[in-house]
Amino acid sequence: MNFGRRQIHLCAALFLWAALPAPALAEGQIIDMDYDEVAGIVPGHVGFTTLPGRAYPGYTLNAGYAFAGGRIGEHFAGQVVGEVTLDGDRFDQITGTPSAPLTVQNGPPDRNISISLHRAFGSNALYPLGPVGQPAPEGRGEGAVSVQFTPPVCAAGLRIHTEYLNDLGTTDTHQGAVTIRFFGADGAMLADMPLTLGAGINDLGFGHHRFRGEIAGMQIENRDPGGISVDDLRFGCQPATS
């Protein structure tokens, strides 16, 4: 019954979105959605459980991470990755426009992504590795991460943990700056969303404003003082019903 109500709410939302003229969407072609709603209507899920649980430093994935429906790396072809230092922390900084067709790229060795057990999530989680690199704790979570969806999807959700201070997932009260960008298959930006997230786990959901399969890429760049980790990626389009 709950899923039925969720479908009704989604249909109503889609009707309203379709009635909106494109210029009314000042933030771009991507809208905020509830994470649980996204999880309830799209089939794709990546929980990074294809690898056995391993404590820090875990697995260093210089070649990226492939999953059914896409691949994860650092940036997209055509972009330039530099670095910026804030209060002594060194972060990845991405500039430039992705080239067509959108293609995910890996960072330098030991500065791409890693996967290890995360106490707060209770499972494996993904860490974008920053300029300091693996296995230094200061480099974990201070990089950028990019996800390519093949084929492009209608909606995506993810859980981001901010201010990771130690293996116990202890946090302080803070506000972490995270920017999430979405791209089409031709590399065109669909939305650029600067977000301020609280400490701990943040559940985020997003959808194409027409709920069409046009989200080919999602990119996360952060300036969180303790770094970020990502888990439970959701993606896809609502399955057709007979």
Side-chain angles (χ1 to χ4, degrees):
M1 295 299 293
N2 288 338
F3 182 70
R5 285 197 294 271
R6 199 155 43 220
Q7 287 183 313
I8 292 172
H9 293 325
L10 175 64
C11 291
L14 293 178
F15 177 80
L16 291 174
W17 298 339
L20 288 173
L25 297 167
E27 293 79 19
Q29 300 181 53
I30 304 300
I31 63 169
D32 288 326
M33 293 182 67
D34 181 77
Y35 175 84
D36 289 336
E37 183 176 22
V38 172
I41 60 177
V42 300
H45 176 225
V46 179
F48 307 108
T49 56
T50 55
L51 296 171
R54 181 184 290 179
Y56 168 80
Y59 303 90
T60 303
L61 305 180
N62 291 328
Y65 185 86
F67 60 91
R71 185 170 169 271
I72 303 174
E74 179 192 62
H75 63 284
F76 295 113
Q79 294 182 314
V80 176
V81 183
E83 68 173 84
V84 61
T85 301
L86 296 173
D87 298 325
D89 293 317
R90 298 167 60 191
F91 299 92
D92 281 349
Q93 183 175 46
I94 296 182
T95 57
T97 302
S99 54
L102 190 75
T103 306
V104 70
Q105 302 281 285
N106 297 314
D110 301 329
R111 289 177 49 186
N112 192 46
I113 57 175
S114 70
I115 290 175
S116 62
L117 284 172
H118 190 292
R119 183 66 61 88
F121 282 124
S123 62
N124 281 344
L126 180 145
Y127 296 84
L129 300 176
V132 176
Q134 185 85 308
E138 309 93 290
R140 185 172 55 156
E142 298 193 347
V145 59
S146 298
V147 184
Q148 181 173 0
F149 299 111
T150 309
V153 300
C154 303
L158 71 163
R159 306 174 76 205
I160 297 180
H161 188 282
T162 64
E163 189 65 6
Y164 191 87
L165 297 180
N166 57 41
D167 288 340
L168 297 178
T170 302
T171 64
D172 288 333
T173 300
H174 86 299
Q175 292 184 332
V178 174
T179 297
I180 301 183
R181 304 182 185 99
F182 295 90
F183 299 93
D186 60 355
M189 185 179 290
L190 303 178
D192 186 352
M193 297 182 167
L195 304 174
T196 300
L197 304 181
I201 296 175
N202 298 263
D203 292 350
L204 306 173
F206 308 92
H208 185 268
H209 70 106
R210 305 293 193 208
F211 215 74
R212 296 173 180 165
E214 296 189 15
I215 302 173
M218 178 173 65
Q219 184 170 81
I220 307 161
E221 189 176 345
N222 84 95
R223 301 290 183 267
D224 189 277
I228 66 169
S229 54
V230 176
D231 198 7
D232 291 317
L233 175 66
R234 305 281 183 168
F235 63 95
C237 289
Q238 186 179 27
T241 57
S242 57

